[in-house]
Amino acid sequence: MLLKIAQPVRRRQISLTPLIDVVFILLLFFMLTSSFVQWRSMELHVSASAKTSNEEPEKPWLAEIQADGTLLLEGSVYAPDQNKALSALFREKARPVIIRAAGETTTQMLISSIERLQLSGASSVTLATDTAAAHSNQNTTSAP
């Protein structure tokens, strides 16, 4: 009679190639979705703040930003490359500015214009909300 001795079961080794592939795919995914941009903060007022002092607050200038970066400020047009003229305007008297963006203005153009006004010497820059824009439109609309 022959004895049958059970052969030891060979365990298959797990291949590391698929594991390495998955690791590289995850590495590529996180590298592509990560942002290495330096974020900067800027002070921005959304509505006019009430002054508690007895002195009369300065009347702010109204500015409108066009989609191409042109700034309409108190009846004058300032192109994006006219920073010296804008600085000269604020050098005479630093006043607060309320800005409103035209319909096609991008967010980047809005932020660039806010920084441009602040660097030119505006005492404060306030972003007009829809309500504030509608209010200023009602004040400038003439009756038929």
Side-chain angles (χ1 to χ4, degrees):
M1 168 169 183
L2 292 172
L3 277 175
K4 290 188 178 181
I5 300 176
Q7 295 278 336
V9 178
R10 282 192 62 168
R11 299 178 87 197
R12 291 187 62 200
Q13 289 185 349
I14 298 175
S15 175
L16 292 180
T17 304
L19 178 66
I20 293 172
D21 288 345
V22 169
V23 167
F24 279 123
I25 289 171
L26 287 173
L27 178 67
L28 182 67
F29 171 77
F30 286 116
M31 284 176 56
L32 292 176
T33 58
S34 296
S35 175
F36 297 105
V37 176
Q38 296 264 343
W39 291 98
R40 295 182 297 154
S41 63
M42 62 186 308
E43 185 176 331
L44 178 65
H45 304 282
V46 179
S47 61
S49 60
K51 301 237 178 191
T52 57
S53 65
N54 292 337
E55 64 186 47
E56 187 174 316
E58 291 181 297
K59 182 180 177 189
W61 282 337
L62 300 176
E64 184 170 332
I65 301 167
Q66 302 296 316
D68 62 350
T70 304
L71 189 64
L72 304 174
L73 181 66
E74 291 299 307
S76 300
V77 179
Y78 296 94
D81 59 349
Q82 291 180 318
N83 290 336
K84 288 184 180 180
L86 197 58
S87 294
L89 177 69
F90 285 110
R91 199 172 303 123
E92 293 173 13
K93 184 171 184 182
R95 293 178 74 176
V97 177
I98 297 176
I99 62 172
R100 180 178 57 214
E104 301 86 30
T105 305
T106 62
T107 304
Q108 181 59 51
M109 190 58 64
L110 178 66
I111 297 298
S112 298
S113 298
I114 291 171
E115 287 180 336
R116 185 175 157 205
L117 286 167
Q118 288 175 339
L119 291 174
S120 295
S123 61
S124 69
V125 179
T126 303
L127 180 62
T129 59
D130 290 337
T131 306
H135 180 66
S136 66
N137 285 340
Q138 288 174 356
N139 290 340
T140 59
T141 305
S142 60

